Each structure stands twice: as structure tokens, then as C-alpha cells.
Amino acid sequence: SASPDELGATFRAFYRVLARLLRFPGATVAAVNGHAFGAGAILATAADYRVQRADRGYFCLPEIDLGVPLSPEFEAVLRAKLPPAALLDALLTGRRYGGPDAQAAGFVHATAAEDKLLDTAVDLVRGLVAKSSRATAALRSGLYRDVLAVLDPGND
């Protein structure tokens, strides 16, 4: 029921959230404890590392089944973070990837049982906590320069 202006404002705010994740001066990890569809999958993808439950939930980019294209902003994040061949397959098929299949495709870095999800996610970044935040921020600025220019133009 949102107006086009309201919907546009919501998406612009979400693009800024993605940009903030990509600029964050420390390691980020998404612990996906259920379904990650569409924008939820893209939000998880913006993290440095992703852990999905092995037994429940899907990673899915359903735009093909919804009949809508990806925005340039969403496309930029996905291109920067996911393997090209697997991304093409996910986009053209709208396939739902359970945890093990999402890991095999390179969409997530690990899978875990529900009771181990947070521990597994934390373990992925534990050794990165002491890394220089200034160096991390500088590395991110270079690595994601093109994506950030699309997500948050004029704020680099």
C-alpha cells in the first residue's frame, strides 16, 4: 500500500544500510537462522561472512519468479560478493538453496545446526576483531569503491 515516493524512500534507506555494512571498519558476519529471500538475501550477502542453518531456511533471489529486475544497487552488491556462475543460476532459476547447497554454491561460508549458528558465526570473525579498523576501512573503500558509488553516490 506504499506510494511510489514512500517505496523509493524505503529502498534508498536500505541502500544506505548496505553501504554502511560495506564501509564498516570491522569484520561482519550474518547468522541466517531462517529464510533469506530477495532483499534479505542481499542484506546477508553484504556481510563479509555468512552462516546459514544447515537444516532450515533457504537463500533465494526470487526476482525471476516475481517478474521484476534487480535494481542496479542490488545487482552491484551481488556481483561484488557472490561467484558469477552461481549468481547467474540463482537469478535465472529463482532456486531455493538450503544451507548445504548455499554453501556449495558459495553463497554462504558455513552451515550450522540451530544451536551452533551463533557460535559458528562468531568463530568465523573471532580472529579479526583485533585487526586495525583504519586499515579495514581503507581496504573496504578500495575493494567496494564501485559498489559504494552505486549504493550511496556522493558519500564516499
Side-chain angles (χ1 to χ4, degrees), residues 88-114:
L88 177 65
D89 185 60
L91 289 172
L92 292 182
T93 66
R95 178 178 168 196
R96 297 173 182 206
Y97 293 80
D101 288 339
Q103 185 175 6
F107 298 147
V108 300
H109 297 84
T111 60
E114 179 182 19

PDB file of all heavy atoms in Angstrom, residues 88-114:
ATOM      1  N   LEU A  88      24.367 -16.230 -11.508  1.00  0.00           N
ATOM      2  CA  LEU A  88      23.553 -16.325 -12.719  1.00  0.00           C
ATOM      3  C   LEU A  88      22.497 -17.419 -12.571  1.00  0.00           C
ATOM      4  O   LEU A  88      21.317 -17.206 -12.870  1.00  0.00           O
ATOM      5  CB  LEU A  88      24.428 -16.589 -13.943  1.00  0.00           C
ATOM      6  CG  LEU A  88      23.676 -16.769 -15.263  1.00  0.00           C
ATOM      7  CD1 LEU A  88      22.953 -15.486 -15.661  1.00  0.00           C
ATOM      8  CD2 LEU A  88      24.639 -17.211 -16.349  1.00  0.00           C
ATOM      9  N   ASP A  89      22.912 -18.566 -12.075  1.00  0.00           N
ATOM     10  CA  ASP A  89      21.967 -19.669 -11.879  1.00  0.00           C
ATOM     11  C   ASP A  89      20.862 -19.284 -10.901  1.00  0.00           C
ATOM     12  O   ASP A  89      19.681 -19.521 -11.153  1.00  0.00           O
ATOM     13  CB  ASP A  89      22.706 -20.913 -11.385  1.00  0.00           C
ATOM     14  CG  ASP A  89      21.788 -22.113 -11.282  1.00  0.00           C
ATOM     15  OD1 ASP A  89      21.205 -22.514 -12.301  1.00  0.00           O
ATOM     16  OD2 ASP A  89      21.649 -22.638 -10.154  1.00  0.00           O
ATOM     17  N   ALA A  90      21.235 -18.663  -9.800  1.00  0.00           N
ATOM     18  CA  ALA A  90      20.243 -18.261  -8.797  1.00  0.00           C
ATOM     19  C   ALA A  90      19.261 -17.250  -9.366  1.00  0.00           C
ATOM     20  O   ALA A  90      18.055 -17.339  -9.118  1.00  0.00           O
ATOM     21  CB  ALA A  90      20.944 -17.684  -7.567  1.00  0.00           C
ATOM     22  N   LEU A  91      19.773 -16.307 -10.151  1.00  0.00           N
ATOM     23  CA  LEU A  91      18.898 -15.267 -10.710  1.00  0.00           C
ATOM     24  C   LEU A  91      17.978 -15.816 -11.800  1.00  0.00           C
ATOM     25  O   LEU A  91      16.811 -15.445 -11.870  1.00  0.00           O
ATOM     26  CB  LEU A  91      19.731 -14.115 -11.264  1.00  0.00           C
ATOM     27  CG  LEU A  91      20.413 -13.237 -10.219  1.00  0.00           C
ATOM     28  CD1 LEU A  91      21.364 -12.257 -10.897  1.00  0.00           C
ATOM     29  CD2 LEU A  91      19.386 -12.506  -9.362  1.00  0.00           C
ATOM     30  N   LEU A  92      18.494 -16.676 -12.652  1.00  0.00           N
ATOM     31  CA  LEU A  92      17.686 -17.177 -13.764  1.00  0.00           C
ATOM     32  C   LEU A  92      16.690 -18.253 -13.348  1.00  0.00           C
ATOM     33  O   LEU A  92      15.674 -18.439 -14.020  1.00  0.00           O
ATOM     34  CB  LEU A  92      18.582 -17.714 -14.881  1.00  0.00           C
ATOM     35  CG  LEU A  92      19.425 -16.672 -15.627  1.00  0.00           C
ATOM     36  CD1 LEU A  92      20.231 -17.337 -16.727  1.00  0.00           C
ATOM     37  CD2 LEU A  92      18.550 -15.550 -16.182  1.00  0.00           C
ATOM     38  N   THR A  93      16.975 -18.950 -12.260  1.00  0.00           N
ATOM     39  CA  THR A  93      16.090 -20.043 -11.840  1.00  0.00           C
ATOM     40  C   THR A  93      15.178 -19.678 -10.674  1.00  0.00           C
ATOM     41  O   THR A  93      14.132 -20.297 -10.506  1.00  0.00           O
ATOM     42  CB  THR A  93      16.907 -21.289 -11.433  1.00  0.00           C
ATOM     43  OG1 THR A  93      17.660 -20.976 -10.251  1.00  0.00           O
ATOM     44  CG2 THR A  93      17.811 -21.752 -12.553  1.00  0.00           C
ATOM     45  N   GLY A  94      15.601 -18.725  -9.851  1.00  0.00           N
ATOM     46  CA  GLY A  94      14.844 -18.439  -8.631  1.00  0.00           C
ATOM     47  C   GLY A  94      14.925 -19.578  -7.630  1.00  0.00           C
ATOM     48  O   GLY A  94      14.114 -19.681  -6.717  1.00  0.00           O
ATOM     49  N   ARG A  95      15.925 -20.427  -7.789  1.00  0.00           N
ATOM     50  CA  ARG A  95      16.081 -21.618  -6.953  1.00  0.00           C
ATOM     51  C   ARG A  95      16.215 -21.267  -5.476  1.00  0.00           C
ATOM     52  O   ARG A  95      16.809 -20.260  -5.115  1.00  0.00           O
ATOM     53  CB  ARG A  95      17.332 -22.366  -7.411  1.00  0.00           C
ATOM     54  CG  ARG A  95      17.643 -23.588  -6.612  1.00  0.00           C
ATOM     55  CD  ARG A  95      18.859 -24.304  -7.154  1.00  0.00           C
ATOM     56  NE  ARG A  95      19.302 -25.303  -6.211  1.00  0.00           N
ATOM     57  CZ  ARG A  95      20.479 -25.887  -6.243  1.00  0.00           C
ATOM     58  NH1 ARG A  95      21.337 -25.581  -7.199  1.00  0.00           N
ATOM     59  NH2 ARG A  95      20.811 -26.783  -5.350  1.00  0.00           N
ATOM     60  N   ARG A  96      15.671 -22.129  -4.660  1.00  0.00           N
ATOM     61  CA  ARG A  96      15.805 -22.017  -3.206  1.00  0.00           C
ATOM     62  C   ARG A  96      16.956 -22.910  -2.767  1.00  0.00           C
ATOM     63  O   ARG A  96      16.891 -24.129  -2.948  1.00  0.00           O
ATOM     64  CB  ARG A  96      14.513 -22.451  -2.521  1.00  0.00           C
ATOM     65  CG  ARG A  96      13.351 -21.570  -2.876  1.00  0.00           C
ATOM     66  CD  ARG A  96      12.061 -22.121  -2.320  1.00  0.00           C
ATOM     67  NE  ARG A  96      10.955 -21.275  -2.713  1.00  0.00           N
ATOM     68  CZ  ARG A  96       9.831 -21.166  -2.037  1.00  0.00           C
ATOM     69  NH1 ARG A  96       9.648 -21.868  -0.943  1.00  0.00           N
ATOM     70  NH2 ARG A  96       8.886 -20.365  -2.462  1.00  0.00           N
ATOM     71  N   TYR A  97      17.977 -22.309  -2.175  1.00  0.00           N
ATOM     72  CA  TYR A  97      19.162 -23.050  -1.747  1.00  0.00           C
ATOM     73  C   TYR A  97      19.093 -23.295  -0.247  1.00  0.00           C
ATOM     74  O   TYR A  97      19.153 -22.346   0.541  1.00  0.00           O
ATOM     75  CB  TYR A  97      20.434 -22.262  -2.054  1.00  0.00           C
ATOM     76  CG  TYR A  97      20.730 -22.080  -3.521  1.00  0.00           C
ATOM     77  CD1 TYR A  97      20.081 -21.108  -4.278  1.00  0.00           C
ATOM     78  CD2 TYR A  97      21.671 -22.881  -4.157  1.00  0.00           C
ATOM     79  CE1 TYR A  97      20.362 -20.937  -5.631  1.00  0.00           C
ATOM     80  CE2 TYR A  97      21.953 -22.722  -5.510  1.00  0.00           C
ATOM     81  CZ  TYR A  97      21.293 -21.742  -6.236  1.00  0.00           C
ATOM     82  OH  TYR A  97      21.573 -21.580  -7.573  1.00  0.00           O
ATOM     83  N   GLY A  98      18.969 -24.573   0.149  1.00  0.00           N
ATOM     84  CA  GLY A  98      19.101 -24.919   1.558  1.00  0.00           C
ATOM     85  C   GLY A  98      20.552 -24.707   1.980  1.00  0.00           C
ATOM     86  O   GLY A  98      21.431 -24.480   1.144  1.00  0.00           O
ATOM     87  N   GLY A  99      20.818 -24.776   3.251  1.00  0.00           N
ATOM     88  CA  GLY A  99      22.154 -24.491   3.769  1.00  0.00           C
ATOM     89  C   GLY A  99      23.304 -25.176   3.045  1.00  0.00           C
ATOM     90  O   GLY A  99      24.218 -24.510   2.550  1.00  0.00           O
ATOM     91  N   PRO A 100      23.305 -26.512   2.940  1.00  0.00           N
ATOM     92  CA  PRO A 100      24.422 -27.182   2.272  1.00  0.00           C
ATOM     93  C   PRO A 100      24.573 -26.769   0.796  1.00  0.00           C
ATOM     94  O   PRO A 100      25.690 -26.584   0.315  1.00  0.00           O
ATOM     95  CB  PRO A 100      24.082 -28.669   2.405  1.00  0.00           C
ATOM     96  CG  PRO A 100      23.246 -28.744   3.645  1.00  0.00           C
ATOM     97  CD  PRO A 100      22.421 -27.481   3.615  1.00  0.00           C
ATOM     98  N   ASP A 101      23.451 -26.589   0.091  1.00  0.00           N
ATOM     99  CA  ASP A 101      23.523 -26.163  -1.311  1.00  0.00           C
ATOM    100  C   ASP A 101      24.000 -24.715  -1.420  1.00  0.00           C
ATOM    101  O   ASP A 101      24.739 -24.366  -2.346  1.00  0.00           O
ATOM    102  CB  ASP A 101      22.167 -26.318  -2.003  1.00  0.00           C
ATOM    103  CG  ASP A 101      21.803 -27.776  -2.249  1.00  0.00           C
ATOM    104  OD1 ASP A 101      22.713 -28.635  -2.257  1.00  0.00           O
ATOM    105  OD2 ASP A 101      20.601 -28.050  -2.431  1.00  0.00           O
ATOM    106  N   ALA A 102      23.586 -23.864  -0.482  1.00  0.00           N
ATOM    107  CA  ALA A 102      24.042 -22.475  -0.473  1.00  0.00           C
ATOM    108  C   ALA A 102      25.547 -22.408  -0.227  1.00  0.00           C
ATOM    109  O   ALA A 102      26.258 -21.602  -0.845  1.00  0.00           O
ATOM    110  CB  ALA A 102      23.286 -21.668   0.575  1.00  0.00           C
ATOM    111  N   GLN A 103      26.037 -23.277   0.625  1.00  0.00           N
ATOM    112  CA  GLN A 103      27.478 -23.314   0.876  1.00  0.00           C
ATOM    113  C   GLN A 103      28.221 -23.832  -0.350  1.00  0.00           C
ATOM    114  O   GLN A 103      29.242 -23.263  -0.746  1.00  0.00           O
ATOM    115  CB  GLN A 103      27.794 -24.173   2.102  1.00  0.00           C
ATOM    116  CG  GLN A 103      29.267 -24.136   2.469  1.00  0.00           C
ATOM    117  CD  GLN A 103      29.578 -24.886   3.741  1.00  0.00           C
ATOM    118  OE1 GLN A 103      28.718 -25.552   4.333  1.00  0.00           O
ATOM    119  NE2 GLN A 103      30.820 -24.788   4.187  1.00  0.00           N
ATOM    120  N   ALA A 104      27.720 -24.874  -0.964  1.00  0.00           N
ATOM    121  CA  ALA A 104      28.365 -25.422  -2.163  1.00  0.00           C
ATOM    122  C   ALA A 104      28.410 -24.393  -3.293  1.00  0.00           C
ATOM    123  O   ALA A 104      29.373 -24.341  -4.055  1.00  0.00           O
ATOM    124  CB  ALA A 104      27.641 -26.689  -2.621  1.00  0.00           C
ATOM    125  N   ALA A 105      27.375 -23.547  -3.387  1.00  0.00           N
ATOM    126  CA  ALA A 105      27.325 -22.518  -4.429  1.00  0.00           C
ATOM    127  C   ALA A 105      28.206 -21.317  -4.103  1.00  0.00           C
ATOM    128  O   ALA A 105      28.470 -20.489  -4.974  1.00  0.00           O
ATOM    129  CB  ALA A 105      25.882 -22.054  -4.633  1.00  0.00           C
ATOM    130  N   GLY A 106      28.659 -21.211  -2.862  1.00  0.00           N
ATOM    131  CA  GLY A 106      29.476 -20.070  -2.469  1.00  0.00           C
ATOM    132  C   GLY A 106      28.667 -18.891  -1.951  1.00  0.00           C
ATOM    133  O   GLY A 106      29.190 -17.793  -1.803  1.00  0.00           O
ATOM    134  N   PHE A 107      27.395 -19.095  -1.663  1.00  0.00           N
ATOM    135  CA  PHE A 107      26.550 -18.027  -1.132  1.00  0.00           C
ATOM    136  C   PHE A 107      26.767 -17.827   0.363  1.00  0.00           C
ATOM    137  O   PHE A 107      26.601 -16.731   0.873  1.00  0.00           O
ATOM    138  CB  PHE A 107      25.076 -18.303  -1.401  1.00  0.00           C
ATOM    139  CG  PHE A 107      24.732 -18.375  -2.864  1.00  0.00           C
ATOM    140  CD1 PHE A 107      23.741 -19.225  -3.301  1.00  0.00           C
ATOM    141  CD2 PHE A 107      25.389 -17.597  -3.811  1.00  0.00           C
ATOM    142  CE1 PHE A 107      23.402 -19.288  -4.650  1.00  0.00           C
ATOM    143  CE2 PHE A 107      25.066 -17.662  -5.160  1.00  0.00           C
ATOM    144  CZ  PHE A 107      24.079 -18.514  -5.580  1.00  0.00           C
ATOM    145  N   VAL A 108      27.078 -18.908   1.072  1.00  0.00           N
ATOM    146  CA  VAL A 108      27.396 -18.824   2.495  1.00  0.00           C
ATOM    147  C   VAL A 108      28.728 -19.518   2.726  1.00  0.00           C
ATOM    148  O   VAL A 108      29.143 -20.385   1.957  1.00  0.00           O
ATOM    149  CB  VAL A 108      26.280 -19.424   3.390  1.00  0.00           C
ATOM    150  CG1 VAL A 108      24.958 -18.689   3.174  1.00  0.00           C
ATOM    151  CG2 VAL A 108      26.112 -20.910   3.187  1.00  0.00           C
ATOM    152  N   HIS A 109      29.391 -19.128   3.797  1.00  0.00           N
ATOM    153  CA  HIS A 109      30.715 -19.670   4.099  1.00  0.00           C
ATOM    154  C   HIS A 109      30.659 -20.931   4.944  1.00  0.00           C
ATOM    155  O   HIS A 109      31.602 -21.722   4.945  1.00  0.00           O
ATOM    156  CB  HIS A 109      31.550 -18.603   4.807  1.00  0.00           C
ATOM    157  CG  HIS A 109      31.796 -17.413   3.947  1.00  0.00           C
ATOM    158  ND1 HIS A 109      30.892 -16.386   3.841  1.00  0.00           N
ATOM    159  CD2 HIS A 109      32.806 -17.121   3.118  1.00  0.00           C
ATOM    160  CE1 HIS A 109      31.357 -15.488   2.988  1.00  0.00           C
ATOM    161  NE2 HIS A 109      32.514 -15.911   2.534  1.00  0.00           N
ATOM    162  N   ALA A 110      29.578 -21.070   5.685  1.00  0.00           N
ATOM    163  CA  ALA A 110      29.443 -22.231   6.567  1.00  0.00           C
ATOM    164  C   ALA A 110      27.972 -22.483   6.838  1.00  0.00           C
ATOM    165  O   ALA A 110      27.125 -21.610   6.622  1.00  0.00           O
ATOM    166  CB  ALA A 110      30.186 -21.988   7.883  1.00  0.00           C
ATOM    167  N   THR A 111      27.694 -23.680   7.313  1.00  0.00           N
ATOM    168  CA  THR A 111      26.363 -24.021   7.798  1.00  0.00           C
ATOM    169  C   THR A 111      26.519 -24.562   9.208  1.00  0.00           C
ATOM    170  O   THR A 111      27.605 -25.011   9.598  1.00  0.00           O
ATOM    171  CB  THR A 111      25.659 -25.070   6.912  1.00  0.00           C
ATOM    172  OG1 THR A 111      26.446 -26.262   6.897  1.00  0.00           O
ATOM    173  CG2 THR A 111      25.463 -24.545   5.499  1.00  0.00           C
ATOM    174  N   ALA A 112      25.429 -24.500   9.950  1.00  0.00           N
ATOM    175  CA  ALA A 112      25.474 -24.981  11.327  1.00  0.00           C
ATOM    176  C   ALA A 112      24.074 -25.368  11.776  1.00  0.00           C
ATOM    177  O   ALA A 112      23.082 -24.871  11.242  1.00  0.00           O
ATOM    178  CB  ALA A 112      26.039 -23.902  12.246  1.00  0.00           C
ATOM    179  N   ALA A 113      24.029 -26.218  12.766  1.00  0.00           N
ATOM    180  CA  ALA A 113      22.758 -26.543  13.408  1.00  0.00           C
ATOM    181  C   ALA A 113      22.276 -25.310  14.164  1.00  0.00           C
ATOM    182  O   ALA A 113      23.069 -24.428  14.513  1.00  0.00           O
ATOM    183  CB  ALA A 113      22.949 -27.710  14.378  1.00  0.00           C
ATOM    184  N   GLU A 114      20.989 -25.269  14.428  1.00  0.00           N
ATOM    185  CA  GLU A 114      20.402 -24.096  15.086  1.00  0.00           C
ATOM    186  C   GLU A 114      21.145 -23.716  16.362  1.00  0.00           C
ATOM    187  O   GLU A 114      21.456 -22.554  16.594  1.00  0.00           O
ATOM    188  CB  GLU A 114      18.930 -24.358  15.395  1.00  0.00           C
ATOM    189  CG  GLU A 114      18.245 -23.209  16.104  1.00  0.00           C
ATOM    190  CD  GLU A 114      16.799 -23.513  16.451  1.00  0.00           C
ATOM    191  OE1 GLU A 114      16.412 -24.700  16.486  1.00  0.00           O
ATOM    192  OE2 GLU A 114      16.063 -22.548  16.692  1.00  0.00           O
TER     193      GLU A 114
END
